Amino acid sequence: MSRRIIVRGDDGWSNRRALLFNGATGYAVASGLQTLPTAAASLSMWVKINSALTTATAYNFVSASGGGSANQWLVFGKAGAGDNLVCRGLFSGSGLTSVFRSSPAGHSTGQWYHFLATFDGTTFRPYIDGSALTPVTRSGESLAFTTGLNLTFGGNGTAFSPVSVDEVTIWDRAVDLSEVASANAPIDVTDASGLVRWYRMGDDYTPGSFVIRERVAGTYPLTWYGGSETTDFVDSPS
């Protein structure tokens, strides 16, 4: 699937870099989030797999953790058996239910993949690289969230993923795939209804003073852990 850019009004930003994780030590965390959408939500991002992933190992490219449960809210990664990419959501109703969906194909190194998961209050719809996976009905439930949740990218301090991550957006509604993944229709996110968090990843990278703040509320920065931070140059699509 073609990479795309997101243009933010007249602030002069264009997509030039992604955050690169080495798969051995580096990861990033947005810690202590007090709110994330649960009644309706979407999580979108681009991920490039930079080196071979071990077939028998599970990888989390992005995950949410904290509040006493290991992997809450939404998770994108690779399954623990085989080479399929996966999307998982944790829902709360009469109890906690984990919903797991896997892509029908494997993956290739050096390729960008788009991940999207949406929930409209009734149906959980995951997409991987533009293809819709089987939706799941979760009527009367919500995405599980605990105050103080951490969003982690590229690993969690004990397990790591050799990936580049870019253009992470979180919405308080179920977005359409074309809003976040079209290669030919960049959107102006300053006017995007329901956008609550937006991590540009490496676009505002300055060596020696690495801080990535979300570009909407500006409250919860990403903090880098595990050695020197690295960015990956990304060509804008034609």
Side-chain angles (χ1 to χ4, degrees):
M1 189 172 181
S2 299
R3 282 284 287 109
R4 63 152 315 187
I5 59 174
I6 294 179
V7 179
R8 187 173 191 256
D10 60 357
D11 69 358
W13 283 42
S14 62
N15 190 14
R16 288 288 182 260
R17 290 186 180 274
L19 197 58
L20 187 152
F21 301 98
N22 60 20
T25 57
Y27 66 106
V29 176
S31 60
L33 299 178
Q34 301 306 306
T35 59
L36 280 179
T38 56
S42 299
L43 174 63
S44 169
M45 70 186 59
W46 287 91
V47 175
K48 183 173 73 171
I49 300 169
N50 294 315
S51 59
L53 304 179
T54 303
T55 298
T57 300
Y59 292 84
N60 286 348
F61 306 151
V62 60
S63 62
S65 62
S69 184
N71 289 302
Q72 300 184 56
W73 205 59
L74 293 167
V75 178
F76 295 146
K78 187 194 80 68
D83 294 318
N84 291 356
L85 303 177
V86 298
C87 177
R88 183 159 64 89
L90 187 67
F91 290 85
S92 60
S94 57
L96 292 178
T97 303
S98 181
V99 174
F100 179 93
R101 284 292 181 264
S102 173
S103 66
H107 62 271
S108 300
T109 58
Q111 178 176 329
W112 282 101
Y113 292 89
H114 183 259
F115 288 78
L116 172 65
T118 73
F119 179 60
D120 62 5
T122 300
T123 306
F124 176 60
R125 300 181 188 277
Y127 303 81
I128 295 180
D129 217 30
S131 296
L133 307 184
T134 304
V136 184
T137 299
R138 306 306 305 182
S139 182
E141 299 187 6
S142 61
L143 285 164
F145 173 81
T146 300
T147 297
L149 189 74
N150 297 332
L151 286 178
T152 64
F153 302 85
N156 58 13
T158 57
F160 306 93
S161 299
V163 295
S164 298
V165 178
D166 202 13
E167 298 296 352
V168 180
T169 55
I170 298 172
W171 310 70
D172 64 6
R173 62 181 176 87
V175 303
D176 186 83
L177 180 67
S178 64
E179 294 182 73
V180 292
S182 170
N184 300 313
I187 59 174
D188 180 351
V189 298
T190 58
D191 297 325
S193 172
L195 182 65
V196 295
R197 280 171 177 52
W198 173 34
Y199 295 101
R200 295 298 308 260
M201 307 312 279
D203 291 10
D204 53 355
Y205 168 75
T206 301
S209 58
F210 179 80
V211 175
I212 298 175
R213 292 190 177 277
E214 57 174 312
R215 306 305 298 181
V216 179
T219 304
Y220 300 103
L222 291 186
T223 302
W224 181 276
Y225 295 93
S228 300
E229 67 276 0
T230 310
T231 58
D232 181 13
F233 185 80
V234 178
D235 289 325
S236 298
S238 58

